[in-house]
Amino acid sequence: MAVAERTIGTSPPRKEDPELITGQARYTDDLTMPGMLHMVVVRSPFAHARIKGVDASKALAMDGVVAVYTGADLAADWAGPLLMAWAVSEDLKNPPHWPLTKDEARHQGDGVAVVLATSRAAAKDAAEAVEVDYEPLPVVVDMEAALADGAPLVHEDQGTNKAYTWSLKNGDVDAVFAAAPVVVKERYVIQRAIPTAIETRAVIADPSPAMGEYTLWSATQIPHIVRVAMVVATGIPESKLRVIAPRVGGGFGSKLQVYAEEALCLLVAKKLGRPVKWVEERSENYLATHHGRDQIQVAELAADEQGKIRGFRFNIMVNMGAYLMIITPGTPLLGAFVYCGCYGGDAYEVNFTGVFTNTTPTDAYRGAGRPEATYAIERIIEALARKVGKDPVEIRRLNFLPAFTEPTPMPGGLSIDSGNYDATLDQALELAGYDQLRKEQQVRRERGDTKQIGIGLSTYLEMCGLAPSRVLKALNYAAGGWDAATIRLSPTGKVQVIAGTSPHGQGHATTFAQIVADDLGIPFDDIEVITGDTTLAPLGMDTYGSRSIAIGGVAVHRAAMKIVEKTRRIAAHELEVSDEDLDYASGTFSVKGAPDRAKTVPGLAWSAWTAHDLPDGMEPGLEETAVYDAANFVFPYGAHICAVEVDTETGQVDILKYVAVDDVGVVINPQIVDGQVAGGVIQGIAEALFEEAVYSDDGQLLTASLTNYEVPAASDVPSIVIGRGPELPSTTNELGVKGVGETGTIASPPAVINAVIDALSHLGVTDVPRPASPENVWRTIRSTRGGDGR
Amino acid sequence: MRQISVTVNGTRREADVEPRQLLVYFLRETLGLTGTNVGCDTSTCGSCTVLLDGQSVKSCTMLAVQADGHEVTTIEAMATNGELHPIQRAFHEHHGLQCGYCTPGMIMAADSLIREAAGPLSEAEVRIGLEGNLCRCTGYQNIVQAVMAASQEMQGGVKARAGKGGGS
C-alpha cells in the first residue's frame, strides 16, 4: 500500500489564499447587518482635561442620528471596567478603565461620548457637532518627569504616577558586581512604536433582543479572551455571547487587546436593540489602539578582564500610558528572563518600574518585552567588547552557553529546550561574507570615504509559546496558557480541525492541515481548519506570543494521535488481531508480518460512523479533543548580521545586506516560516531606522497618521538572506517545534543599530538614538566630532 | 446628490451619490464590492488601489463623481472564468500575502506597473513601483518575488520578441 508523502517540511501553497487574492475574503468592515447603526466615538483632543459638560443637542437634531451617549450616561450600565489581566505585583496601581471616561480625559483620544446614526457619514458629522466643555489639566508625557516630585498626576486618586515595581534576581548580584574587574554601564532609550496593522480595528455587535443573545464580530487576535472580558464589562452571560474574529488584517499585538469599542458596541446594541458597527479610522487608530515598547533602560554587565560575563543588571522604566490595558504591566515581564541573551553568568537582576503618563496606553507589540531585552543585552555586550578590546564575534563566542540538546539552565532562571549558538553564528557569518565585509570596511576607513560600512551582530535568545499555565500563575497572570484542538472525521474521511488559536495572517489553516495530513495519512486538500469563532471553536486561548504552533499546533497533533488510537482499536477489531499487532504509518494500520492485511483511517471513519461492528463499549463517531498545556516555553535563537553603509555627511543609512539565521526547531512549512522571518525582520528594521511615536510636551501625538509615522515601503527596505541553523528540535514538545512569529522583530533592531555604530566607531561614536534616522545619525556624528549636535 | 455613470468591472452602473462620497465607499457600500479595502485616511497605504481606465489609482484619493464616465476595475474582476490572473497566481505561489488586507491593492498596483513597463521588471523597479502600497506582514520580500514572477510571465514575451526583432 502506498504510503502518503509527508507534507511536513514542504510548502504547499496556502489554503487561506484563494479568497484573499480575489477580494472575496470578508473582514469585519465588509459585513453589514439589517438595520445596522454606525457608531463614532467622540475623543478628547486634550491629553489631560476635566470634562465639565457635554452638550449633544445639536448632534441629536441632525438627520439620521439615533442616540448620543456620554461616559456619565452609560456609567450605571457597566458590570465592570475593561479587563486588566496581569496584576504583576502587590504594589500595582490599577485605576479602573471605563470604555468612556466620565470625569477626566487622560490621553489624547480618550473616549468621551459615542454617536449612533444610520450611516457612517451621518455619525461622523454628528460627532463633530457634540460640544464638550473641557478644562485642560497639567500634562506629563515623559517618564522621568512623571516620577519627579510634584509631577502632574495622571490618576489623582492614586497619589503617584508609579504604576508598579517588579524584580527578578538570581544569585548575589551586588557581590558579583563589587568583585568584578570590569563593569560596563549604558543607557538606552527604546522609542515608542505604533503597531499599525494595515486593517484598522472594526467591531459589529448584533443583538437578538428576544433571545437575549449577541454576536460580536471584531478584528481581534483574541475572540475567546474578548468574550470573557465582555462578560466582565457588560454582564451579558457567556452563554449568550458569541465572538467571531472573521478575516483579520494583521495584528502584531495591537489586536491582542480588549477594547472600549467592543464593549461600547455591545452595550449600545443592547440598549437600542439594533446591530451597531464601529470602524476605526487610521488617524484614530494612532490614538485609540495601543502602542508598544517605550522603555528607558540602564544596562550593566560585570565581567572578568577577558570579557567573560559574571553578572547582569538591568534597571528599566516602562511607559504604561494613561491606563493599564489587558497586559500593559506584564508586557515587559515577557522579556524579563532573556536579558541574559544566550550568554552564561553567575548573577542576574532585572528591575522594572511602570510609569503612568498622559499618553495612549502601551501593551504587547510583536515580540512584547523580548525585543527590549534583546536590545539591551545585544547593545551592552558590544560595549563590553569595546572595553576589553575584543571584536563582536569573539566576545559572543566567549560567552555563549555551550551547545546542548537537553533542557539546560540559563542565568535568567529558566531552563532552555535546545540550542547551539555557535552554529547559528557560524552560518550567519558565512552567509554574510563577514570577512569580506570587514575587508571592505577597512578599505573605506583607510581611504577616508564619506560613506562608511558598518557590520552589526545580534545573537539572540527568545522564549515563546505562551505559556505554561503554572508559570503564568506564578507571574500572577489571570488566565492559563493552554490551547485546544478538536479533530472530527466525516463518514467519508474528510477532516475538520477546530483549533483554539485565532490567526490573522500566520497560515494556521495550512500549517495545521499539514500536521494532520501527516498524522492521519489524509490528503492535505481533504482537511479544513476552523478558527476564530467561540461557538464553532469554543476552547481556545487565541494567537499571540508566537504560541500558535508551539501550543496550538501541538494540541492539533495530540488530537490527531487520539484519532489514531481510536481507529487502531477499530482496525484491530476488524482485522481480529490485538492492538499491539498493528503497525501504524501515515494513516494505515497493517498487521505485523502481514502488511497486506491493512485498514486506513478514512475507511475506519466510515466504520466509526456506521457503528455496525465497533469494539464492545466504544462510542460511535470519530471526534477527539486535546488540550495542551506546555511544561515549558520554547526558545528560538539565532544570529542576525546587518551590514550598513552610512553617509557620514548626511546621516543616511542604507542596508547593504541583512542575514537572519533563526533556529526555530522543526519547520512545518518552510515558505510560511520564511515569510514570518522576513516580515518580522523588516518590522524590526523599521523600528531601528524609521518609526517613532512622538508626543509634544502637552501630549499631542505628532505622528498620528501614516504620513508622519514612517512605516517603510518596499523601496525603503532590502531583501534579506535567510538561514535556519542546525534546526535542533525543541525538547518541550513532541513535534520539536518552536515559535517563529516574533524572532525577526526581536533580533533585528540591535543588529541594525550595532551596524550603524560600527560604521561610525572610528569617529568615536558609541551610541546612536533609535530610530537611526538621517537626522539622529547626523546629530550624533556632529556632537561626537565636538559640535553641539544641532 | 448627483447622478453618475461608471463602468465597473465591465458593467455600466448608474447611481445617485453624495458629491463628497469617495470612490472607495461608492465601490464598497453602494456596489457591495468589498474586495477593495480601506487602510488609512491619508492616501498613504494603497489598500484601496483600483484601476481607472487601466491605470492604478487610490480610490480614497478621488471622489465617486470624478469617476463619472470612466471605467473602474477592481480586484473582483481580475480572475476570469474561474482562472486566476497571473499576478494572483504568483502571489499564491510565492506566498506574497499573509493577512491579505493589502493584497487586493497590491495586485491592482502591480498590474498597472507590469503593463506599463517595457519588459520584465527588476527587483529595484518593483520596489520603487510599489512604494505607494504598504504591507505590514510580509516585509515585501515575497510580494517582490511574486510581482517579478508575474512580470516575467506577462511581459517576458515582449522582451523576447523585441530581442528577436532587433529591439525597439
Side-chain angles (χ1 to χ4, degrees):
Chain A
M1 186 163 287
V3 175
E5 280 183 32
R6 270 174 69 82
T7 70
I8 291 179
T10 70
S11 302
R14 296 199 318 168
K15 282 179 174 289
E16 290 86 344
D17 291 353
E19 66 172 4
L20 297 169
I21 56 181
T22 54
Q24 293 170 26
R26 287 180 183 158
Y27 301 88
T28 303
D29 189 24
D30 298 338
L31 304 172
T32 298
M33 302 295 143
M36 187 172 83
L37 297 174
H38 296 262
M39 184 177 88
V40 167
V41 181
V42 177
R43 299 185 184 280
S44 171
F46 296 100
H48 198 188
R50 187 164 293 122
I51 296 155
K52 298 175 73 180
V54 180
D55 181 356
S57 55
K58 282 182 192 158
L60 283 165
M62 293 169 76
D63 280 350
V65 176
V66 172
V68 176
Y69 298 109
T70 66
D73 293 339
L74 299 180
D77 292 309
W78 298 116
L82 294 170
L83 185 68
M84 198 293 292
W86 205 338
V88 293
S89 66
E90 288 190 357
D91 69 354
L92 180 84
K93 306 279 191 268
N94 183 28
H97 182 198
W98 300 101
L100 290 178
T101 187
K102 32 183 188 186
D103 47 5
E104 269 181 34
R106 295 183 178 84
H107 68 89
Q108 185 196 12
D110 210 353
V112 174
V114 289
V115 175
L116 284 299
T118 51
S119 75
R120 194 193 299 254
K124 198 171 176 194
D125 287 344
E128 288 174 7
V130 173
E131 292 176 357
V132 184
D133 185 6
Y134 294 102
E135 177 192 341
L137 296 170
V139 171
V140 63
V141 297
D142 177 82
M143 281 190 277
E144 286 166 326
L147 292 181
D149 287 341
L153 294 175
V154 178
H155 297 274
E156 191 77 39
D157 57 345
Q158 303 296 323
T160 176
N161 288 321
K162 188 184 283 187
Y164 73 91
T165 54
W166 186 90
S167 295
L168 173 65
K169 210 167 189 177
N170 301 315
D172 192 343
V173 179
D174 293 342
V176 165
F177 270 83
V182 173
V183 171
V184 286
K185 180 173 181 177
E186 294 203 338
R187 179 179 184 273
Y188 307 126
V189 178
I190 310 264
Q191 85 276 30
R192 179 178 284 237
I194 306 182
T196 319
I198 302 295
E199 181 205 27
T200 57
R201 291 187 293 120
V203 180
I204 299 173
D206 184 20
S208 171
M211 306 298 284
E213 292 174 353
Y214 300 84
T215 302
L216 185 75
W217 281 267
S218 182
T220 181
Q221 299 173 222
I222 54 165
H224 299 88
I225 295 171
V226 163
R227 184 163 73 149
V228 175
M230 288 302 108
V231 172
V232 174
T234 67
I236 294 169
E238 208 171 342
S239 54
K240 302 287 189 187
L241 177 60
R242 175 183 190 179
V243 179
I244 301 174
R247 299 300 164 260
V248 176
F252 315 107
S254 73
K255 293 171 183 170
L256 185 201
Q257 191 55 271
V258 174
Y259 280 107
E261 296 82 3
E262 291 166 324
L264 285 164
C265 282
L266 264 181
L267 182 63
V268 171
K270 184 181 178 185
K271 288 175 89 74
L272 299 174
R274 292 174 71 171
V276 173
K277 181 187 210 176
W278 170 79
V279 178
E280 187 181 50
E281 298 192 332
R282 174 60 62 190
S283 354
E284 191 179 19
N285 170 271
Y286 277 88
L287 302 174
T289 290
H290 74 240
H291 296 173
R293 315 283 189 253
D294 205 344
Q295 295 189 353
I296 298 173
Q297 309 177 318
V298 176
E300 294 173 85
L301 291 180
D304 68 15
E305 291 90 343
Q306 278 70 48
K308 182 93 174 162
I309 298 169
R310 296 296 174 212
F312 304 84
R313 184 159 59 201
F314 298 89
N315 283 292
I316 292 158
M317 262 190 277
V318 190
N319 198 334
M320 305 282 99
Y323 300 100
L324 303 184
M325 296 187 71
I326 188 162
I327 59 165
T328 300
T331 297
L333 274 61
L334 295 169
F337 302 92
V338 292
Y339 275 83
C340 52
C342 44
Y343 312 117
D346 307 321
Y348 182 87
E349 180 177 349
V350 175
N351 302 305
F352 295 121
T353 303
V355 185
F356 286 116
T357 60
N358 293 114
T359 59
T360 293
T362 62
D363 206 300
Y365 174 43
R366 198 173 190 172
R370 290 150 291 153
E372 298 91 319
T374 302
Y375 190 75
I377 183 62
E378 288 304 298
R379 284 290 312 275
I380 193 74
I381 197 165
E382 299 237 338
L384 177 62
R386 286 192 290 272
K387 182 103 170 199
V388 300
K390 284 196 160 55
D391 80 34
V393 173
E394 203 182 355
I395 194 82
R396 287 175 166 84
R397 290 204 194 278
L398 175 68
N399 284 291
F400 280 154
L401 293 168
F404 56 97
T405 54
E406 293 300 323
T408 296
M410 43 85 114
L414 299 176
S415 187
I416 319 175
D417 53 356
S418 57
N420 184 340
Y421 308 121
D422 278 301
T424 44
L425 179 55
D426 288 341
Q427 189 183 2
L429 292 168
E430 190 187 328
L431 288 173
Y434 185 76
D435 294 339
Q436 188 56 40
L437 286 168
R438 284 283 177 216
K439 281 181 194 152
E440 172 70 16
Q441 179 183 42
Q442 197 53 38
V443 168
R444 294 206 195 184
R445 285 278 157 86
E446 284 164 9
R447 279 204 307 252
D449 285 7
T450 300
K451 290 185 177 180
Q452 289 290 324
I453 285 180
I455 305 139
L457 276 72
S458 171
T459 50
Y460 73 99
L461 169 71
E462 71 125 327
M463 47 182 270
C464 61
L466 300 177
S469 297
R470 280 183 296 186
V471 175
L472 292 177
K473 177 179 187 297
L475 293 172
N476 215 26
Y477 176 65
W482 49 268
D483 222 298
T486 297
I487 294 182
R488 181 184 295 150
L489 270 77
S490 72
T492 57
K494 309 296 186 198
V495 180
Q496 280 185 332
V497 180
I498 298 116
T501 58
S502 192
H504 34 284
Q506 295 89 342
H508 297 180
T510 300
T511 303
F512 291 173
Q514 288 182 254
I515 293 170
V516 174
D518 286 10
D519 282 344
L520 300 184
I522 286 174
F524 175 76
D525 291 339
D526 287 347
I527 300 165
E528 65 166 329
V529 178
I530 295 166
T531 53
D533 182 328
T534 61
T535 293
L536 297 179
L539 273 178
M541 279 292 181
D542 307 316
T543 289
Y544 42 85
S546 304
R547 70 190 304 274
S548 294
I549 191 67
I551 308 294
V554 177
V556 167
H557 170 64
R558 288 195 174 184
M561 296 321 289
K562 285 187 175 179
I563 296 285
V564 170
E565 288 320 303
K566 182 166 181 179
T567 48
R568 177 191 297 277
R569 290 178 55 210
I570 304 172
H573 179 73
E574 291 184 353
L575 292 164
E576 299 179 321
V577 297
S578 70
D579 295 2
E580 302 82 60
D581 291 333
L582 292 175
D583 285 326
Y584 179 76
S586 302
T588 300
F589 296 98
S590 55
V591 177
K592 285 176 179 160
D596 289 349
R597 298 186 61 212
K599 297 283 177 183
T600 65
V601 170
L604 295 163
W606 182 264
S607 300
W609 180 68
T610 63
H612 290 169
D613 183 22
L614 292 176
D616 287 345
M618 179 180 278
E619 291 179 9
L622 202 47
E623 174 175 328
E624 296 288 349
T625 293
V627 183
Y628 171 65
D629 194 4
N632 192 8
F633 295 90
V634 291
F635 295 80
Y637 65 93
H640 287 213
I641 296 178
C642 179
V644 297
E645 183 181 75
V646 181
D647 187 321
T648 54
E649 290 182 351
T650 65
Q652 173 69 34
V653 176
D654 289 313
I655 293 178
L656 299 176
K657 187 174 255 185
Y658 195 100
V659 172
V661 176
D662 302 286
D663 186 345
V664 295
V666 170
V667 168
I668 308 290
N669 184 311
Q671 194 179 44
I672 286 177
V673 166
D674 286 351
Q676 290 293 314
V677 170
V681 166
I682 297 304
Q683 211 162 349
I685 288 174
E687 277 186 74
L689 293 182
F690 306 116
E691 296 178 13
E692 180 179 25
V694 181
Y695 278 96
S696 66
D697 289 343
D698 60 354
Q700 295 293 307
L701 183 63
L702 302 177
T703 53
S705 85
L706 268 173
T707 57
N708 41 24
Y709 185 82
E710 201 184 343
V711 171
S715 49
D716 297 319
V717 293
S719 286
I720 68 166
V721 178
I722 293 171
R724 208 78 87 199
E727 298 189 60
L728 298 180
S730 172
T731 53
T732 300
N733 61 70
E734 57 267 38
L735 284 178
V737 293
K738 302 184 179 185
V740 69
E742 299 162 298
T743 57
T745 41
I746 289 167
S748 59
V752 176
I753 298 293
N754 283 337
V756 175
I757 293 169
D758 185 58
L760 304 173
S761 59
H762 62 298
L763 304 175
V765 169
T766 58
D767 188 22
V768 63
R770 296 166 45 140
S773 62
E775 179 182 343
N776 280 339
V777 173
W778 182 85
R779 286 184 192 281
T780 300
I781 295 167
R782 198 172 154 85
S783 61
T784 308
R785 279 174 168 163
D788 60 5
R790 284 188 207 158
Chain B
M1 299 295 255
R2 189 173 142 196
Q3 193 181 47
I4 60 169
S5 171
V6 187
T7 301
V8 179
N9 298 336
T11 304
R12 191 180 153 97
R13 310 295 294 260
E14 294 189 351
D16 291 324
V17 299
E18 274 197 71
R20 66 174 175 171
Q21 186 177 44
L22 297 173
L23 176 59
V24 65
Y25 289 110
F26 173 71
L27 295 171
R28 287 178 54 81
E29 294 179 356
T30 308
L31 302 185
L33 294 169
T34 56
T36 303
N37 293 324
V38 178
C40 71
D41 42 22
T42 48
S43 289
T44 314
C45 78
S47 295
C48 65
T49 305
V50 299
L51 302 181
L52 183 79
D53 301 330
Q55 287 199 315
S56 63
V57 297
K58 293 179 178 177
S59 60
C60 74
T61 306
M62 60 185 294
L63 300 166
V65 293
Q66 291 176 293
D68 188 19
H70 293 274
E71 286 189 21
V72 173
T73 309
T74 70
I75 187 69
E76 282 90 347
M78 290 301 276
T80 46
N81 303 321
E83 275 289 304
L84 291 177
H85 187 278
I87 302 173
Q88 292 173 314
R89 203 166 56 240
F91 269 67
H92 185 46
E93 288 170 358
H94 292 268
H95 187 31
L97 65 151
Q98 290 180 25
C99 81
Y101 198 80
C102 75
T103 308
M106 282 285 179
I107 289 173
M108 302 316 286
D111 181 60
S112 178
L113 177 68
I114 291 170
R115 284 185 295 97
E116 288 161 20
L121 295 162
S122 68
E123 174 171 347
E125 287 169 329
V126 173
R127 285 186 178 275
I128 291 165
L130 292 180
E131 71 180 352
N133 290 69
L134 298 180
C135 170
R136 196 59 156 165
C137 293
T138 64
Y140 303 103
Q141 187 138 335
N142 289 344
I143 291 175
V144 172
Q145 292 304 314
V147 174
M148 287 172 69
S151 157
Q152 185 65 42
E153 181 177 340
M154 290 166 67
Q155 293 282 46
V158 175
K159 199 170 197 177
R161 275 196 302 278
K164 277 177 195 164
S168 62

